[in-house]
Amino acid sequence: MTTAQIKDVLALATARLAPAGEYIFDEGAEAASFHLLLDGHIQVERLNAEGDRVISLHIPPGQLFGIAKALGRTTYPASAVAAVDCVVLSWPMSQWSEFADRYDGFATETYSVIGARMAEMHNRIMELATQRVEQRIACALLRLSEKHGRQVEGGTEIAFPITRKVLSEMTGSTLHTVSRLLSAWERDEIVKSKRKHIFVLDPSRLEQLAQ
Amino acid sequence: MTTAQIKDVLALATARLAPAGEYIFDEGAEAASFHLLLDGHIQVERLNAEGDRVISLHIPPGQLFGIAKALGRTTYPASAVAAVDCVVLSWPMSQWSEFADRYDGFATETYSVIGARMAEMHNRIMELATQRVEQRIACALLRLSEKHGRQVEGGTEIAFPITRKVLSEMTGSTLHTVSRLLSAWERDEIVKSKRKHIFVLDPSRLEQLAQ
DNA sequence: CGTGCCTTTGAGAAATATCAAAGCCTGTGG
DNA sequence: CCACAGGCTTTGATATTTCTCAAAGGCACG
């Protein structure tokens, strides 16, 4: 896009800070806006009928989200929570078709975001259907460290706070099982963890555990 | 679409019969064509690294499939097998952009197919992450009978042959567990089954089992 | 400096897979 | 027309994984 186009697009956006823990939008709500994450990390989640939370995705900075229109929907399929303090740009959904028509790259970008999310969900299904809890948690940690990692001395830190509970909700297990596994892996120096923070020290061993 | 438009579109299609069991395309293959299922049922599946098969979706007649281009991909993300004898229309993928530009309804239809598939995958993830095998199998049977059912006296028959093995690959369990559950449900007159064919007799009890 | 999450760990229970074996359809070829 | 082979199904016994229940310790923030 040209500088002039970017200026036009930004003129129509509203920017705001979403503090950690804030819900940007809720599952099932009327999809009034679509969003771009400038900084921070968004967690996409759903509740089932019994009230169990399942975390579907984590969104890194730079991605569009809440793009219900691109799925032929008028409501959001899941909720989006700020995992840390986030900077978010928002546009009214009414702007969607215009952007799609006017800017070629917009449609293309949308396709590939959707394609990538679909591929990720497909992988999650494969994991849940065929792997044991230990392997699924190893996979989840690898994915998090690759896509949301920050290099530190000796390893990679996951770039947002993450509890045992959250990891269990990402993998369809329980915080107790996650805690036991992380303790064992910490003894083997594969990972290290402080309260709410996890460091991957030895990705290759983790990959091995994930098979 | 107008009659003239339909004529144009059909002129570019090739129609063919895919006998039961035939692979229409394979996971990872170059996405050379996109398809429309006129009659029959398509099963979408993937293999994991260990060679376990996971069945992601079943596609009913009337739907587009193999629409890699709409996901910003050049290869198919999964394989498609004919679950019964199928009639399939195919177009070269190079035709895709033209159709999308020329026919308004085409893009809209694509969006909603993708939206629906994504929603279905999301539901599968929720089920796999939070429900026990028994509930997942009950859900799978309900979905199959609703979306691919054929009314018969006393109940609904699933419209294509389906083995215990296939059901287990749809739910991330084993054919043994599926067999035990179906036997129990047959004793309770919730389902009835012949070799490769399943009839849902009492959907409400099944719904109860699915919670 | 106390309260509320977060984490750890043990013991026992429950769900489900695995191993094993046998019976049963169905279509094929003699 | 019958017998056979191969895939589908059933069922029991056992093993394993993972959850549930329970309790206690620890860290951080107000």
Side-chain angles (χ1 to χ4, degrees):
Chain A
M1 282 166 62
T2 66
T3 319
Q5 287 181 330
I6 292 174
K7 211 176 135 192
D8 289 350
V9 166
L10 287 180
L12 293 162
T14 57
R16 79 192 172 89
L17 182 82
E22 180 175 311
Y23 277 74
I24 317 282
F25 54 77
D26 290 299
E27 174 181 357
E30 201 63 33
S33 327
F34 64 96
H35 313 271
L36 176 67
L37 181 61
L38 282 187
D39 192 50
H41 288 275
I42 298 286
Q43 186 170 311
V44 177
E45 60 182 49
R46 277 179 81 189
L47 297 179
N48 73 358
E50 284 84 53
D52 306 318
R53 184 166 62 163
V54 175
I55 295 168
S56 315
L57 297 168
H58 284 271
I59 296 179
Q63 282 200 4
L64 287 170
F65 65 103
I67 51 182
K69 199 97 172 196
L71 302 172
R73 300 180 55 108
T74 60
T75 58
Y76 296 116
S79 307
V81 198
V84 291
D85 293 347
C86 290
V87 181
V88 176
L89 288 185
S90 306
W91 291 267
M93 195 62 88
S94 55
Q95 207 65 44
W96 180 270
S97 322
E98 205 156 326
F99 280 14
D101 289 347
R102 194 170 323 163
Y103 311 113
D104 252 15
F106 189 77
T108 316
E109 169 67 10
T110 306
Y111 288 146
S112 54
V113 167
I114 292 177
R117 298 233 174 113
M118 209 146 178
E120 183 158 348
M121 285 171 65
H122 220 234
N123 288 336
R124 290 282 306 282
I125 289 176
M126 299 288 291
E127 283 175 19
L128 285 163
T130 65
Q131 302 191 319
R132 277 172 303 116
V133 167
E134 182 177 32
Q135 304 173 293
R136 301 206 301 265
I137 294 172
C139 284
L141 284 180
L142 282 171
R143 244 199 323 271
L144 286 173
S145 74
E146 276 160 22
K147 298 185 52 181
H148 309 269
R150 168 201 303 153
Q151 294 308 313
V152 293
E153 24 72 63
T156 310
E157 179 182 5
I158 292 167
F160 48 85
I162 187 156
T163 64
R164 310 291 183 259
K165 182 114 196 300
V166 166
L167 256 180
S168 75
E169 289 168 341
M170 293 177 58
T171 54
S173 72
T174 62
L175 75 163
H176 305 92
T177 304
V178 172
S179 174
R180 275 182 244 273
L181 284 168
L182 284 183
S183 297
W185 292 345
E186 187 143 7
R187 273 192 288 282
D188 293 348
E189 297 184 319
I190 298 170
V191 304
K192 190 158 74 82
S193 74
K194 291 195 202 319
R195 165 179 256 248
K196 286 192 174 195
H197 286 274
I198 298 179
F199 304 80
V200 174
L201 306 181
D202 190 341
S204 65
R205 300 267 302 282
L206 210 50
E207 216 146 332
Q208 213 174 306
L209 285 165
Q211 295 271 351
Chain B
M1 283 166 62
T2 66
T3 319
Q5 285 180 330
I6 292 175
K7 212 175 135 193
D8 290 349
V9 166
L10 286 181
L12 293 163
T14 57
R16 79 191 172 90
L17 181 82
E22 181 175 310
Y23 278 74
I24 319 283
F25 55 77
D26 290 300
E27 174 182 357
E30 201 62 32
S33 328
F34 63 96
H35 312 272
L36 176 67
L37 181 62
L38 282 185
D39 192 49
H41 289 274
I42 299 286
Q43 192 170 319
V44 177
E45 60 183 48
R46 276 179 83 189
L47 298 179
N48 73 359
E50 283 84 54
D52 306 318
R53 184 166 61 164
V54 175
I55 294 168
S56 316
L57 297 167
H58 283 271
I59 296 179
Q63 281 200 4
L64 287 171
F65 66 102
I67 51 181
K69 198 98 172 194
L71 301 172
R73 299 181 54 108
T74 60
T75 58
Y76 296 115
S79 307
V81 198
V84 291
D85 293 348
C86 289
V87 181
V88 176
L89 290 185
S90 306
W91 292 266
M93 195 63 88
S94 55
Q95 208 64 45
W96 180 269
S97 322
E98 205 155 327
F99 280 15
D101 289 347
R102 193 170 326 162
Y103 311 114
D104 251 15
F106 189 76
T108 317
E109 170 67 10
T110 305
Y111 288 146
S112 54
V113 167
I114 291 176
R117 298 232 175 112
M118 208 145 179
E120 184 159 346
M121 285 171 65
H122 221 233
N123 287 336
R124 290 283 304 283
I125 289 175
M126 299 287 291
E127 283 175 18
L128 285 164
T130 66
Q131 303 191 316
R132 278 171 302 115
V133 167
E134 182 177 32
Q135 303 173 296
R136 301 206 301 265
I137 295 172
C139 283
L141 284 180
L142 283 170
R143 243 198 326 269
L144 286 172
S145 74
E146 276 159 21
K147 298 185 53 182
H148 309 269
R150 168 201 302 154
Q151 294 307 313
V152 294
E153 24 71 65
T156 310
E157 179 182 5
I158 291 167
F160 48 86
I162 187 156
T163 63
R164 310 291 184 258
K165 183 115 196 299
V166 166
L167 256 179
S168 74
E169 289 168 343
M170 293 177 58
T171 54
S173 71
T174 63
L175 77 162
H176 305 92
T177 303
V178 172
S179 174
R180 276 181 243 273
L181 284 168
L182 284 182
S183 297
W185 292 345
E186 186 144 8
R187 274 192 287 282
D188 293 348
E189 297 184 318
I190 297 171
V191 305
K192 190 158 74 84
S193 73
K194 289 195 205 319
R195 165 179 258 248
K196 285 191 176 197
H197 286 274
I198 298 180
F199 304 81
V200 174
L201 306 179
D202 191 341
S204 64
R205 300 268 300 284
L206 211 50
E207 215 145 332
Q208 214 173 305
L209 285 166
Q211 294 271 353

